[in-house]
Amino acid sequence: MAQNTPRVSSRIDSTQMRIGEQLRYQIEIEADSTALVVFPEGQTFTPLEMVEATDIDTFRNKDRFNLTRKYALTQFDSGHYTLPRQKIIINNKEFYTDSLQVTVSDIPVDTTSQKMYDIKPLAEVSNNYSGWGKILLWALIGLLVAGALVYWFFIRKKPLSDAEKEALLPPFDRALLGLKKLEESRYLIQSQYKEYYSELTNIVRAYLEEEIHISAMESTTEELVARLELLQQSGKLNLEKPTIDNFKNVLKKADLVKFARSRPETRAAEEDRKVIENVVVKTREAIPEPTEEELLQQEEYQAKLERKRRKKKRVLIGITAACLLLITTGGAVAYYGFYQVKDTVFGHPTRELLHGEWITSEYGYPIITLETPKVLRRAEVKLSNAMKKVISTNQTFVYGNFTGNFHVSASVTTLREGVEFRVEDAVQGAIATMEQQGAKNIIVKQDEFTTPSGKKGSKVYGNLDITTPDGETIKGEYIMLNFTEKGAFQQVIIVHKQDDRYAKDIENRIVNSIDFKTQ
């Protein structure tokens, strides 16, 4: 059995140090190879500050393990300090190391070789926005990139290609330009009559389809000519009959060239192009002036097209902005973490407390000093007749409540002369008060506690269930620090939700700020 019992030992390289130097504190555990061992974590060495903790060094000795972990500790105030016992959990059982006395010495200063100056007054320090600075910098870069992309693709006037410029021309100018290019082409020189007449008829058909709104591209020669004659007879197209006949002859000749492999003379082909050019000019002259109703319809159509273009531009800008927001958010989440970004954007009550402006105040008498995110307000505590016989004065200061996001209270109690005082009774009374305020299933753990300034007290802590006015049960944590300074009893109680990401940092900062006025 003795061999199976874990062995815990600790040692320190020196019990004396200078301000700012580091001590090496080592914990050694000999336990069974199947044992579950939990070493101290965090700032459990108060009043000394842990700078670094090494990885656990494991050495196997037959069926047992020797586990060693080293800690670097420091202190920046001179004095005599007690390094508290450290708790090690082995298979759910608690083991403690011995406490040690450490002396921190001042660094000698030669005051004869340098001048002495008065203490400088307090200076206002602006809030630290270094983290936000990076976010804003990347967001600004992203906005500039997105703005440049939006300008380049959607806002700036892009230079048009020759094909785009030609497509923007009116149908008449486009037809004349196409005929001019056909005249300068090499189709006739290379005896490519089929290609020549195909392009010639396509130019005039496309013009008629756009200008007088008839289905010319899909129509046969007879159908196209019939439609032109019908428009002429109805008075919608003032085109002379010889012009229609010349146009019909050219279309028939083109059909023979394209489908019967006819080979006309080059001079005749050039004359046919001139005939088609004349048809285009005469057709434009033959179109009646649009009525006022038609002009209104065209204006409405153009306005509709403009609205569509604007809507498309807005949609594209919205998509670009959404992509930018997604990229910026993803980068921030990858760099800072999801909850940090979420709480920064949407807010989190305890995060605002942690990163807000903290206040250091003095409460009660004998004075207890605390640094808190908000000033504690005086609360009236009704004392029963039995308590009035024991308590001389009670001063209680509170922020928040049990069912809120964060609760902290500080009380200073003085007793009447001749009254025997026990801290355990005061703790039980505080727990009873917590139960009256909605706390249930309170788990009580107790340990010794020493403030950074060396004031000793007791720490009661654990978990509890909090019942809200709506009947909801919330898992919470609490810590109760008890001191007896200058003949009075001082107590600080902190209660917060168990799963709160920022509450523990607030709690540690408040606890480390506790001090008492000696004068």
Side-chain angles (χ1 to χ4, degrees):
M1 290 181 62
Q3 291 180 349
N4 292 331
T5 301
R7 298 177 185 174
V8 178
S9 62
S10 63
R11 60 182 178 181
I12 195 168
D13 60 352
S14 177
T15 58
Q16 294 186 352
M17 60 178 288
R18 293 181 178 179
I19 291 177
E21 288 183 342
Q22 293 184 6
L23 299 178
R24 293 293 174 178
Y25 181 73
Q26 179 174 309
I27 298 177
E28 298 178 354
I29 298 173
E30 182 180 345
D32 188 75
S33 59
T34 60
L36 178 61
V37 179
V38 179
F39 280 85
E41 296 287 348
Q43 299 296 341
T44 62
F45 302 91
T46 307
L48 297 183
E49 180 180 348
M50 186 192 75
V51 179
E52 180 186 11
T54 64
D55 294 335
I56 299 173
D57 187 12
T58 305
F59 174 71
R60 188 180 184 92
N61 184 8
K62 296 182 180 180
D63 60 341
R64 294 174 68 82
F65 277 149
N66 289 338
L67 308 176
T68 303
R69 193 173 195 186
K70 298 179 181 179
Y71 301 86
L73 309 178
T74 189
Q75 175 57 257
F76 295 95
D77 290 323
S78 61
H80 299 279
Y81 297 94
T82 300
L83 181 61
R85 298 188 306 161
Q86 297 300 307
K87 180 172 68 175
I88 298 96
I89 301 176
I90 304 175
N91 290 333
N92 296 325
K93 291 184 180 181
E94 296 181 356
F95 295 83
Y96 291 89
T97 64
D98 294 331
S99 60
L100 298 170
Q101 292 292 329
V102 177
T103 301
V104 181
S105 304
D106 284 324
I107 298 176
V109 178
D110 186 3
T111 59
T112 61
S113 62
Q114 62 182 14
K115 296 181 180 180
M116 301 298 293
Y117 300 94
D118 291 335
I119 298 175
K120 292 185 178 180
L122 294 177
E124 292 290 337
V125 180
S126 59
N127 291 332
N128 185 5
Y129 296 105
S130 58
W132 276 105
K134 294 180 180 178
I135 295 178
L136 292 176
L137 177 61
W138 283 108
L140 180 61
I141 293 174
L143 287 173
L144 291 175
V145 172
L149 292 176
V150 170
Y151 171 77
W152 184 262
F153 289 105
F154 307 119
I155 298 177
R156 77 179 180 97
K157 293 182 179 180
K158 307 168 190 168
L160 300 177
S161 62
D162 293 339
E164 290 174 333
K165 291 179 181 179
E166 183 178 342
L168 293 175
L169 292 174
F172 176 76
D173 296 337
R174 199 182 323 131
L176 292 183
L177 180 62
L179 292 173
K180 182 68 175 176
K181 289 182 178 180
L182 183 62
E183 181 183 9
E184 297 172 353
S185 67
R186 302 180 61 83
Y187 289 139
L188 298 180
I189 298 175
Q190 297 175 354
S191 300
Q192 296 177 340
Y193 296 102
K194 181 177 180 180
E195 288 79 4
Y196 178 85
Y197 276 95
S198 295
E199 188 166 343
L200 179 65
T201 54
N202 286 339
I203 292 172
V204 69
R205 285 173 180 269
Y207 169 72
L208 293 176
E209 188 164 302
E210 289 186 71
E211 196 72 270
I212 60 179
H213 309 295
I214 60 175
S215 57
M217 298 299 293
E218 295 83 7
S219 301
T220 62
T221 298
E222 288 74 12
E223 292 173 345
L224 179 56
V225 172
R227 288 191 176 92
L228 292 176
E229 292 175 345
L230 185 62
L231 291 173
Q232 181 197 33
Q233 294 171 4
S234 63
K236 295 181 179 180
L237 186 66
N238 301 322
L239 198 61
E240 298 178 354
K241 190 174 185 305
T243 303
I244 297 177
D245 293 339
N246 293 336
F247 180 49
K248 182 178 180 180
N249 292 334
V250 174
L251 290 180
K252 287 184 176 180
K253 186 183 295 185
D255 291 340
L256 292 174
V257 172
K258 289 189 291 183
F259 304 113
R261 297 184 179 180
S262 175
R263 295 176 60 86
E265 295 181 358
T266 301
R267 182 180 296 275
E270 292 176 349
E271 291 297 327
D272 290 340
R273 188 198 63 78
K274 293 179 181 179
V275 170
I276 293 299
E277 183 175 347
N278 183 63
V279 170
V280 171
V281 173
K282 294 294 184 180
T283 302
R284 186 189 183 190
E285 295 173 353
I287 297 175
E289 293 294 328
T291 63
E292 185 176 352
E293 182 179 356
E294 291 175 342
L295 290 174
L296 290 174
Q297 290 178 351
Q298 290 180 3
E299 291 178 1
E300 183 179 355
Y301 177 72
Q302 293 297 330
K304 184 177 180 180
L305 290 179
E306 182 64 23
R307 287 194 296 270
K308 284 185 177 180
R309 283 193 291 268
R310 290 178 181 176
K311 183 178 180 181
K312 183 179 179 181
K313 183 179 291 186
R314 286 195 297 268
V315 170
L316 290 174
I317 293 175
I319 293 174
T320 303
C323 293
L324 173 63
L325 179 62
L326 184 62
I327 294 172
T328 304
T329 304
V333 168
Y335 188 82
Y336 295 101
F338 172 76
Y339 290 108
Q340 184 73 11
V341 175
K342 172 180 170 293
D343 295 339
T344 301
V345 175
F346 298 102
H348 192 283
T350 49
R351 184 185 185 279
E352 294 172 3
L353 290 178
L354 178 62
H355 296 286
E357 184 177 355
W358 283 55
I359 301 165
T360 301
S361 297
E362 300 174 348
Y363 300 97
Y365 185 82
I367 294 173
I368 179 173
T369 303
L370 287 177
E371 184 185 21
T372 55
K374 300 290 182 181
V375 175
L376 308 186
R377 299 188 180 276
R378 184 182 294 272
E380 294 295 333
V381 177
K382 294 182 180 180
L383 301 177
S384 63
N385 293 329
M387 295 176 65
K388 290 179 179 179
K389 295 178 181 180
V390 178
I391 297 175
S392 175
T393 60
N394 174 268
Q395 303 167 78
T396 302
F397 305 86
V398 179
Y399 168 76
N401 53 68
F402 274 19
T403 59
N405 296 298
F406 196 86
H407 167 81
V408 56
S409 66
S411 62
V412 179
T413 304
T414 58
L415 304 175
R416 297 187 182 277
E417 293 184 5
V419 174
E420 183 181 355
F421 175 74
R422 297 176 65 233
V423 174
E424 293 78 7
D425 296 338
V427 171
Q428 292 300 323
I431 291 176
T433 302
M434 292 168 61
E435 290 176 340
Q436 292 175 3
Q437 296 179 358
K440 297 180 179 179
N441 303 325
I442 302 177
I443 298 175
V444 179
K445 301 178 183 179
Q446 192 164 354
D447 204 349
E448 296 178 357
F449 179 77
T450 305
T451 68
S453 60
K455 305 298 182 181
K456 294 183 179 296
S458 66
K459 179 175 71 172
V460 178
Y461 61 99
N463 300 333
L464 74 166
D465 294 336
I466 304 171
T467 304
T468 64
D470 299 333
E472 182 185 359
T473 300
I474 302 173
K475 295 290 184 182
E477 295 181 10
Y478 76 95
I479 181 172
M480 184 187 304
L481 303 176
N482 308 282
F483 305 91
T484 53
E485 292 290 329
K486 298 189 69 175
F489 172 66
Q490 293 91 356
Q491 187 177 64
V492 177
I493 300 176
I494 300 174
V495 181
H496 59 81
K497 296 179 181 178
Q498 192 174 38
D499 57 351
D500 195 310
R501 294 183 290 276
Y502 307 99
K504 209 66 180 176
D505 292 334
I506 300 175
E507 174 191 304
N508 291 336
R509 185 168 175 180
I510 294 174
V511 169
N512 291 331
S513 71
I514 296 176
D515 201 0
F516 303 91
K517 281 293 184 69
T518 58
Q519 295 181 355

